[in-house]
Amino acid sequence: GEDVKPFTPEKAKEIVMSLQQPAVFCNMVGDWPALQWNAKYLSAVLDGKTIQFRLGQKMVDLVPQFETRCSYVQATLEEFLAWSCGHPCLSGPFSCYEYSKYWAYADYKYIARIFEDKPEVFQDIRWSDFGFPGRSGKESTLWIGSEGANTPCHLDSYGCNLVLQVQGRKKWHLFPPGDTSFLYPTRIPYEESSIFSKVNVANPDLKQFPKFRNTTAHVVTLSPGQVLFIPRHWWHYVESIDPITVSINSWIELDADHEARVEEAITRMLVCAIKSAENPSDGDCWLNPTEVEATSHEINLQYLNKAVSAYFKCQKASVSEQASSSSTGTEQRTGASCKRRKREASCEREGCRLATQEFGFSTFKAENLQEIPFGPHLIQVLPQTRETSLMGAAAVESDRRDLLHGNEGGHIGKLHCSREQLVMSNDCETPEHQMDSDGNPNTSQTALSTNDLLDCLVNPRVISLVARLLLERTSV
């Protein structure tokens, strides 16, 4: 007989729009042709087309491997598959990267772009089963990685996220919005819609980032055929744990995105203005490779005005719709999602109801969880126990001490400074004349950097408050 999915599209959408914690959907995509999209199949479909791979080092480091610290090559999937088998590559794009020392990631590939000449494959992905009719591969992105490939811990400013695992397994470390201050948020490297954490959550430097001990990690290993739901503003660090992994995701736009676009416009203005004023010879790679260029002040101001205009247009449409809606309410609509899409007129959408939260990052509340049908088809991603978290942190701290005393003269990580060993880097170096008589940094003379200032100016809580003050001023 025909397979019956555990949730109707209407029920799945209700779960996605109401659930405020991560969960895994099972048995929802068994008939999706996209489940055949392993790397070998995709290699045949792309037929020699090259895509960009990001390469990072497998070595353990205390610093996140931001995209600005990685190398990039253009290669075919056939070349990637040959390299990922571990055989030496004497020629080709991967010849300079030994498989045992590097991982490769074709991350964030818009399916509409890489398969622009094969639009029929868009229908292999059927997000309509989750209550989003018309959403297919055209509104999705593709991720292909080798073992160890990862994305630094970050949160997405816009929408919520649905992720289908196709090949291999990925380990997800998720943290609730309430943990934001414990994750040391930063906007450098700058990328619209992504707020990064300074912490390498896979190997945290607890001396440099002691508040990380207070986080509550929700950890899950996603297997093929499963779909992970990531709520709005949940932090996540993702790592491939099998030789080859393939994932497909789609961001679902939410009503609260309109206020988030205003916040992002303010952030862009501040970061671009301040960082562009620095001496270019300093060589600070502050712009993420996903951002093509540092936009001018005039363009950023236009972007801000469009975001504010869209916010009020949405608010006006919401009031009008609420006045004419029936007693059963109106259906919440979602638009086409594109997380890194810049300065779009498409951010104007009907039926908006703005979410209320303090400073944009409210602590997770388990409201209405009793109404969520958790079970074998919808699995909660539960928090790690405090004991497990502390044991892990203690092990990492022990390893860090071993690194300190057992690797004299070796690389420890640019964010680490100690009295035992000073690592010479722009972020950490303390000149001799700035030390007191006991050898400690003289805080009254320690020079602050531009990034130190920006970390305060564009802190999510500050930007959220500025956006609300700006909207209040504009509404008068």
Side-chain angles (χ1 to χ4, degrees), residues 27-328:
N27 308 310
M28 284 289 290
V29 297
D31 58 346
W32 286 24
L35 284 184
Q36 302 174 13
W37 284 27
N38 57 50
K40 188 175 181 180
Y41 171 84
L42 291 171
S43 176
V45 174
L46 288 172
D47 191 25
K49 186 174 185 177
T50 62
I51 54 179
Q52 182 173 263
F53 286 84
R54 176 166 62 95
L55 291 109
Q57 297 187 36
K58 290 182 177 179
M59 63 173 288
V60 176
D61 200 349
L62 296 174
V63 185
Q65 289 204 55
F66 293 124
E67 289 164 279
T68 50
R69 300 180 63 210
C70 293
S71 302
Y72 294 84
V73 299
Q74 288 285 334
T76 66
L77 275 182
E78 185 178 7
E79 290 169 326
F80 166 74
L81 288 170
W83 174 79
S84 63
C85 291
H87 301 309
C89 293
L90 300 179
S91 62
F94 293 103
S95 59
C96 297
Y97 304 95
E98 189 177 333
Y99 177 74
S100 62
K101 296 180 180 179
Y102 289 89
W103 48 258
Y105 210 3
D107 52 351
Y108 222 110
K109 306 305 176 195
Y110 287 110
I111 291 174
R113 190 172 301 158
I114 62 175
F115 294 111
E116 58 186 351
D117 56 339
K118 297 180 175 66
E120 64 275 8
V121 306
F122 299 163
Q123 303 311 313
D124 288 2
I125 302 164
R126 304 169 179 173
W127 297 114
S128 57
D129 285 344
F130 287 85
F132 304 100
R135 184 178 291 263
S136 65
K138 191 176 181 181
E139 296 82 25
S140 305
T141 51
L142 181 66
W143 310 70
I144 305 169
S146 65
E147 183 178 0
N150 63 80
T151 53
C153 187
H154 69 283
L155 70 78
D156 302 323
S157 303
Y158 307 140
C160 60
N161 197 357
L162 288 172
V163 184
L164 165 65
Q165 193 62 27
V166 176
Q167 179 180 2
R169 296 168 301 155
K170 279 185 173 177
K171 192 170 186 178
W172 289 73
H173 300 249
L174 302 119
F175 303 88
D179 281 358
T180 293
S181 62
F182 307 143
L183 287 159
Y184 300 84
T186 182
R187 296 310 299 260
I188 304 298
Y190 174 74
E191 171 192 308
E192 183 183 348
S193 80
S194 290
I195 302 174
F196 293 102
S197 168
K198 289 184 176 182
V199 185
N200 180 356
V201 301
N203 184 28
D205 184 345
L206 297 178
K207 178 168 284 190
Q208 183 78 11
F209 306 112
K211 291 191 293 183
F212 181 73
R213 295 177 183 271
N214 300 325
T215 59
T216 304
H218 295 60
V219 181
V220 63
T221 298
L222 199 64
S223 299
Q226 296 180 331
V227 175
L228 175 64
F229 165 67
I230 306 162
R232 181 175 188 262
H233 285 173
W234 273 68
W235 293 83
H236 44 285
Y237 165 82
V238 193
E239 182 176 3
S240 297
I241 59 176
D242 281 331
I244 297 175
T245 62
V246 177
S247 309
I248 297 168
N249 87 295
S250 189
W251 282 275
I252 310 298
E253 288 188 349
L254 300 173
D255 297 333
D257 289 351
H258 290 276
E259 187 169 349
R261 291 186 190 282
V262 176
E263 295 173 2
E264 284 298 297
I266 296 169
T267 301
R268 172 179 285 274
M269 284 196 70
L270 290 172
V271 172
C272 287
I274 293 176
K275 294 298 290 185
S276 297
E278 285 189 315
N279 190 337
S281 63
D282 291 344
D284 181 13
C285 299
W286 62 273
L287 199 65
N288 223 32
T290 53
E291 294 288 328
V292 179
E293 60 183 356
T295 42
S296 69
H297 181 77
E298 290 73 19
I299 290 177
N300 292 336
L301 187 59
Q302 291 176 20
Y303 183 30
L304 174 61
N305 277 284
K306 287 181 180 179
V308 170
S309 176
Y311 170 88
F312 284 113
K313 184 174 182 180
C314 171
Q315 191 177 55
K316 183 178 180 180
S318 177
V319 171
S320 176
E321 185 170 327
Q322 288 177 8
S324 60
S325 64
S326 64
S327 58
T328 57

Side-chain angles (χ1 to χ4, degrees), residues 431-447:
E432 187 175 348
H433 69 272
Q434 290 186 6
M435 306 292 283
D436 63 20
S437 58
D438 294 326
N440 293 315
N442 187 334
T443 54
S444 64
Q445 296 179 11
T446 299

Side-chain angles (χ1 to χ4, degrees), residues 402-460:
D402 292 341
L403 280 172
L404 274 175
H405 299 292
N407 290 285
E408 294 186 8
H411 178 70
I412 295 178
K414 69 175 182 179
L415 289 183
H416 175 71
C417 272
S418 70
R419 293 181 61 182
E420 293 82 6
Q421 182 175 13
L422 283 174
V423 179
M424 305 302 288
S425 75
N426 291 335
D427 294 326
C428 238
E429 183 177 1
T430 305
E432 187 175 348
H433 69 272
Q434 290 186 6
M435 306 292 283
D436 63 20
S437 58
D438 294 326
N440 293 315
N442 187 334
T443 54
S444 64
Q445 296 179 11
T446 299
L448 293 171
S449 69
T450 304
N451 291 356
D452 292 328
L453 176 63
L454 277 173
D455 281 341
C456 298
L457 284 177
V458 297
N459 182 284

